């Protein structure tokens, strides 16, 4: 049985960018705007598994279409998670802002407020909700398959 990303985009750069700039156009346009602002501000972009990646801030990250913005102290796990959100953009297209991006934004900031301001302990993992768990799984799978293709 094929994994979900194989069914949707395979390892083709064409399908990744085609879906990012057709069905996933709203998020990709926002990503382009933020990327232009970052470039004009002197930040450098790099490619991470087909996504255009900028390093800014310290630890957290977010994704807008095929653009990833992460903190300078983030690791491979966060990069893969954000890559998963880019793949979700290809999958959910116009619905991405409503079923993943906006809920993810508010959930992240609520959890941060809960811990830092209320000094409470979280009782669930970040990936305890379906769209975050799916992003991690998709990103990890896609990164692994791209590495396998490069090594062949």
């Amino acid at each position: 049985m094929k994994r979900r990303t194989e069914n949707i985009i395979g390892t083709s750069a064409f399908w990744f960018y085609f879906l990012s700039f057709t069905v996933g156009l709203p998020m990709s346009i926002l990503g382009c705007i933020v990327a232009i602002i970052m470039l004009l501000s002197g930040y450098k972009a790099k490619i991470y598994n087909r996504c255009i990646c900028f390093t800014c801030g310290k630890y957290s990250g977010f994704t807008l279409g095929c653009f990833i913005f992460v903190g300078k102290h983030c690791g491979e796990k966060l990069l893969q998670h954000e890559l998963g959100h880019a793949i979700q953009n290809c999958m959910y297209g116009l619905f991405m802002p409503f079923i993943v991006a906006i809920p993810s934004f508010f959930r992240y900031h609520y959890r941060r407020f809960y811990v830092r301001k209320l000094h409470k302990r979280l009782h669930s993992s970040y990936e305890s909700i379906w769209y975050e768990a799916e992003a991690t799984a998709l990103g990890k799978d896609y990164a692994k398959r791209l590495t396998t293709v490069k090594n062949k």
Side-chain angles (χ1 to χ4, degrees), residues 26-95:
M27 295 296 286
S28 293
I29 287 174
L30 286 174
C32 284
I33 292 167
V34 174
I36 289 168
I37 292 168
M38 297 290 286
L39 290 170
L40 292 174
S41 299
Y43 289 91
K44 304 285 184 213
K46 65 178 182 176
I47 301 297
Y48 175 77
N49 290 318
R50 303 225 163 87
C51 286
I52 296 102
C53 183
F54 289 89
T55 302
C56 55
K58 291 185 180 180
Y59 297 101
S60 61
F62 65 96
T63 302
L64 295 170
C66 60
F67 298 88
I68 296 176
F69 305 89
V70 292
K72 59 186 169 190
H73 300 297
C74 82
E76 185 72 14
K77 184 177 178 184
L78 180 61
L79 282 167
Q80 288 178 351
H81 177 81
E82 296 305 330
L83 173 63
H85 283 308
I87 294 166
Q88 285 176 322
N89 187 52
C90 294
M91 293 167 49
Y92 301 125
L94 297 173
F95 300 107

Side-chain angles (χ1 to χ4, degrees), residues 108-123:
Y108 170 81
H109 287 287
Y110 168 75
R111 289 171 63 90
R112 187 173 176 203
F113 173 79
Y114 191 78
V115 170
R116 290 188 179 178
K117 301 295 184 197
L118 300 179
H119 306 290
K120 304 245 180 170
R121 195 169 140 242
L122 295 169
H123 298 288

